[in-house]
Amino acid sequence: MNDVLVKTVFLTVFRTAIVGWVGIASAQQPGEYLGPCGVAASKDGRSLFVINADARSLALVDAGGKVTRAVDMPARPTGLVLGPDGTTLYITCAAPRGTVCLLDVNSAKVTGIIPAGHWATGPAVSPDGRRLYVCNRFDNDVSIIDPRSGKELARVPASREPIASAVTPDGKLLFVANHLPAGRADRYGVAAVASVVTVIDTETRRPSTIHLITGSSSVRGICVSPDGKYAYLVHILARYHLPTIQLERGWMNTNAISIIDVAARKLVNTVLLDEPGRGAANPWDVACTPDGKTVCVSHAGTHELSVIDAAGMLKKLQAMQPGGFSNASIYGEPYYDYEYGAYPPATSADVANTLSFLKGLRRRIKLTGNGARGLTVSGSKVYVAEYFSDSLAVVDLAAGKDKPAGSIALGPKPVLTVRRKGQMYFNDAAFCHEQWQSCASCHPDGRVDGLNWDLLNDGTDNPKNVRSMLLAHKTPPAMAGGVRPDAETAVRSGIEHIQLCTRPDEDAKAIDEYLRTLQPVPSPHLVDGQLSPAAERGKKLFFDEKVGCAKCHPAPLYTDLLQHDVGSKGPTDRRADFDTPTLIEVWRTAPYMHDGHYATIKELLTTGNHGKIADKLDNQQIDDLVEFVLSL
Ligand code: HEC
Ligand code: HEC
């Protein structure tokens, strides 16, 4: 370890504890959870490292499946990667001032902490070990770090919420998955709303962009094949351009893997992970086996592992587009082939609409735990973190069986509080007819997917932008048109009309409890938790009666809970007055207004002249006002 780093880093003292529960028979208390969300294996495959998001710890698991140690992390751990020499583990920890924790694998001691950006996550290390890459999810950029000096060498802009990254085996390119689409949502064309992949040339540090197909959102995981030829990423493929009337045909949220040709830096195609009548909701993480022949995908909503014959999938795709690349789109109806293979895709453009594409090329393995998250492949074994069960699923690929080989308990069986149950139900696609989607499919992390949906609660052909769950229960009525009296009603109608299922009211109450207790994430626009000077100036304007924002958006909730006609009626709307939304955490919930018409708040205030301030305030004042609103 480099001296400079050691000096700067050891200011923080760490507690390395032998895990309390080992050998002690005491049961876990309700409300105390580990929340495993990621896993890595040592080079020899004899040890596992598990990050526990809720316990803010890293657990070491030995060859016998016993937790031998837990090491405290400085904040909620979000991702981990083992350095190429196998001696150092890099663990990203999420906070407004995010960090990367360096852990010496042999001593299980934290040897350093490197500062990174807001909500550090999705780490990757170059094959020579000389560069560490970290996604700063809420700063919308990527840190390039020299892990030996602990110095951040550069920040490279990504798109919106970079969440996972993977580097090519030659170290030349970094593929960064952006969680959400950026831009306005009221576009429905072939190349409309979708997340993008940011590709960073590691030498020049220049970013470029690969567009995913329309409706690609909630990207969670990305990996590069061992031969460096393909990048695979998993996400939701939303049919947001259709009215939400045909859940069972996959006309709402489908679940997908996109394949990128690394050399050409182009999307090859997007393949559905669902089957006719059986969704594979909320794909979370993806990894290749060392021989590159198999791709594994964890499904958070259906608690499964997909084991895909990568070679077979690529061959099938190539046969369809020899030498060419994707003209994939979702403009066509997804085939609902009652009989497998009844409608084989005729061209590459049909692939993203074919629910049987992976027939014969994929095994679905039902895991015993709940809430599959990060996974790792080690030898012939796949380990999957199971968030709500505090366990790791173990799947043996060599066994060729359709069930897990075992499960590793990371702690005592968790005792679920009502809130925890609610969180689990919100993320569970078992709540949904045929398991197509969970509430989190449109409300990832209880927030927004950035898309418009034509729900049927206020007639058809008037799509609405997804609303965040934060403060929903404190700000009745619910929905942009106020068509539900409160969030409680909206939760129950979501279960009944979106998930098309019937559940006891107890379950809805649990979801209420979870949503009621969501806490805002501090804005990336704050400086050390405080308003910046520009935001302070903007605050004065916001509360100035002559400007008038606070009339309809009064503190502390920044809404008067009333509906107003603010001139935002669009061509498809049947009403002109809309619910005044809270502005808390509005930095995170773009695009804006009931129809997602504005990509930024600046656009809303200038082009949209919202609050009728365009001729009252100069450009600097508008920038200050925007800065304040983005700091809430
Ligand atoms: C297909 C996407 C989709 C799914 C799945 C979905 N929602 Fe929504 N949800 C929306 C959209 C779009 C809105 C805003 C609609 C409007 O403004 O008219 C919304 C609004 C809400 C609101 C009102 C928020 C407010 O403050 O006005 C609540 C509460 C809610 N959803 C809960 C849920 C729950 C609980 C589930 C699962 C049972 C769920 N949603 C599943 C798309 C979805
Ligand atoms: C007459 C009441 C009124 C006034 C005054 C007003 N707003 Fe609004 N605001 C609304 C309503 C209603 C909406 C939602 C409209 C819609 O969904 O189409 C809204 C939406 C917004 C949004 C988008 C939020 C989101 O989640 O989409 C922002 C940001 C905002 N207002 C900021 C401001 C600022 C800044 C001012 C002062 C310059 C201001 N508002 C003045 C009523 C008002």
Side-chain angles (χ1 to χ4, degrees):
M1 182 67 38
N2 174 298
D3 276 355
V4 184
L5 181 61
V6 171
K7 271 187 219 133
T8 48
V9 142
F10 275 87
L11 297 171
T12 325
V13 180
F14 278 86
R15 195 158 49 87
T16 305
I18 302 291
V19 199
W21 72 273
V22 179
I24 303 168
S26 76
Q28 194 176 22
Q29 294 301 304
E32 283 176 12
Y33 307 111
L34 298 171
C37 65
V39 52
S42 64
K43 278 207 143 172
D44 62 6
R46 297 183 57 79
S47 312
L48 295 171
F49 311 100
V50 184
I51 44 171
N52 292 320
D54 296 321
R56 299 188 173 198
S57 66
L58 174 111
L60 277 77
V61 181
D62 69 13
K66 278 243 149 44
V67 177
T68 52
R69 271 183 159 202
V71 183
D72 283 355
M73 292 287 116
R76 190 179 178 87
T78 47
L80 77 173
V81 61
L82 188 67
D85 65 3
T87 60
T88 310
L89 201 60
Y90 300 93
I91 305 140
T92 48
C93 295
R97 287 177 162 205
T99 47
V100 187
C101 225
L102 276 56
L103 186 105
D104 178 70
V105 167
N106 297 318
S107 67
K109 289 229 160 72
V110 174
T111 55
I113 296 189
I114 300 174
H118 196 327
W119 224 257
T121 189
V125 187
S126 64
D128 62 6
R130 296 176 55 155
R131 290 292 175 268
L132 169 65
Y133 306 102
V134 176
C135 300
N136 301 312
R137 182 170 173 187
F138 296 134
D139 284 337
N140 297 327
D141 58 21
V142 175
S143 293
I144 301 182
I145 292 166
D146 175 350
R148 281 181 294 187
S149 68
K151 237 175 122 174
E152 185 174 36
L153 306 173
R155 284 272 182 126
V156 182
S159 170
R160 180 176 181 189
E161 296 195 17
I163 197 163
S165 69
V167 72
T168 50
D170 62 9
K172 288 191 173 149
L173 296 176
L174 181 76
F175 285 79
V176 180
N178 290 283
H179 183 50
L180 295 180
R184 52 193 273 203
D186 56 343
R187 294 178 297 135
Y188 306 91
V190 172
V193 190
S195 295
V196 301
V197 175
T198 303
V199 187
I200 299 172
D201 180 318
T202 56
E203 180 102 12
T204 63
R205 296 175 188 163
R206 229 174 270 142
S208 58
T209 298
I210 298 173
H211 290 266
L212 300 178
I213 65 171
T214 291
S216 300
S217 182
S218 293
V219 187
R220 290 280 181 184
I222 192 163
C223 72
V224 171
S225 62
D227 63 8
K229 286 190 177 160
Y230 298 99
Y232 299 102
L233 64 152
V234 290
H235 56 90
I236 286 173
L237 185 59
R239 318 271 161 179
Y240 72 94
H241 61 294
L242 300 170
T244 51
I245 46 175
Q246 287 282 10
L247 173 68
E248 60 275 50
R249 291 188 174 209
W251 287 5
M252 284 174 76
N253 279 308
T254 50
N255 303 284
I257 180 165
S258 281
I259 301 114
I260 285 171
D261 181 318
V262 167
R265 297 199 202 177
K266 277 197 171 143
L267 179 71
V268 174
N269 216 316
T270 297
V271 171
L272 295 183
L273 296 162
D274 311 295
E275 292 169 82
R278 196 173 160 222
N282 305 92
W284 195 278
D285 199 7
V286 56
C288 291
T289 51
D291 63 8
K293 286 188 181 151
T294 306
V295 177
C296 299
V297 176
S298 57
H299 297 270
T302 51
H303 327 297
E304 289 175 293
L305 181 74
S306 278
V307 179
I308 302 167
D309 168 0
M313 177 173 69
L314 291 166
K315 208 169 133 201
K316 196 165 169 182
L317 288 171
Q318 271 149 8
M320 221 167 282
Q321 45 196 104
F325 290 107
S326 174
N327 51 348
S329 92
I330 59 166
Y331 279 77
E333 291 164 358
Y335 293 123
Y336 186 57
D337 26 12
Y338 282 95
E339 298 290 330
Y340 262 131
Y343 302 95
T347 70
S348 61
D350 297 328
V351 172
N353 295 315
T354 306
L355 290 168
S356 60
F357 190 86
L358 287 179
K359 192 198 169 194
L361 296 172
R362 182 264 306 264
R363 283 191 292 138
R364 288 176 77 159
I365 298 174
K366 182 86 188 149
L367 307 177
T368 48
N370 187 298
R373 294 285 187 270
L375 63 85
T376 195
V377 182
S378 173
S380 73
K381 300 260 177 61
V382 184
Y383 300 93
V384 189
E386 295 170 318
Y387 182 80
F388 291 106
S389 312
D390 287 351
S391 55
L392 278 185
V394 188
V395 172
D396 189 352
L397 297 177
K401 294 217 176 85
D402 284 347
K403 55 179 194 195
S407 168
I408 296 172
L410 297 166
K413 197 168 181 296
V415 184
L416 302 184
T417 58
V418 174
R419 179 188 194 274
R420 188 66 161 185
K421 278 186 196 158
Q423 183 186 5
M424 190 169 83
Y425 299 156
F426 192 83
N427 285 279
D428 197 342
F431 257 61
C432 181
H433 176 62
E434 296 180 353
Q435 306 189 20
W436 289 99
Q437 59 190 358
S438 64
C439 304
S441 294
C442 294
H443 301 286
D445 303 311
R447 269 54 174 207
V448 300
D449 62 2
L451 301 174
N452 284 357
W453 287 94
D454 194 9
L455 301 183
L456 306 178
N457 55 21
D458 53 0
T460 49
D461 295 327
N462 52 357
K464 300 288 185 313
N465 196 229
V466 168
R467 286 161 74 95
S468 172
M469 300 293 96
L470 181 71
L471 296 171
H473 285 74
K474 287 211 173 97
T475 57
M479 307 300 180
V483 295
R484 304 284 181 217
D486 46 41
E488 286 83 350
T489 315
V491 165
R492 283 148 188 82
S493 53
I495 296 172
E496 190 182 339
H497 303 298
I498 301 181
Q499 310 290 65
L500 299 185
C501 88
T502 318
R503 304 286 301 204
D505 197 55
E506 226 179 288
D507 294 4
K509 281 197 183 120
I511 292 179
D512 287 334
E513 182 65 19
Y514 161 60
L515 298 180
R516 248 185 227 122
T517 50
L518 286 175
Q519 293 297 318
V521 169
S523 164
H525 293 259
L526 294 172
V527 181
D528 296 334
Q530 305 293 318
L531 294 180
S532 68
E536 283 287 1
R537 293 193 300 272
K539 182 179 179 183
K540 286 206 185 81
L541 292 166
F542 189 91
F543 289 104
D544 184 336
E545 273 182 24
K546 287 196 285 283
V547 180
C549 307
K551 242 188 302 181
C552 303
H553 298 284
L557 292 172
Y558 294 88
T559 164
D560 59 4
L561 310 180
L562 299 173
Q563 272 135 285
H564 299 279
D565 177 358
V566 290
S568 59
K569 182 174 189 279
T572 58
D573 291 315
R574 273 165 234 145
R575 62 189 305 147
D577 58 328
F578 293 98
D579 184 49
T580 308
T582 174
L583 300 182
I584 294 178
E585 226 189 46
V586 80
W587 57 268
R588 187 175 175 182
T589 56
Y592 301 111
M593 306 305 254
H594 69 282
D595 54 357
H597 187 66
Y598 300 97
T600 64
I601 290 174
K602 173 122 195 214
E603 244 176 78
L604 168 65
L605 296 185
T606 51
T607 323
N609 196 15
H610 179 64
K612 301 204 173 59
I613 48 153
D615 46 7
K616 279 192 225 161
L617 304 181
D618 65 25
N619 201 33
Q620 175 67 51
Q621 288 174 311
I622 291 180
D623 282 346
D624 291 346
L625 191 55
V626 169
E627 195 57 27
F628 171 65
V629 172
L630 287 174
S631 303
L632 290 171

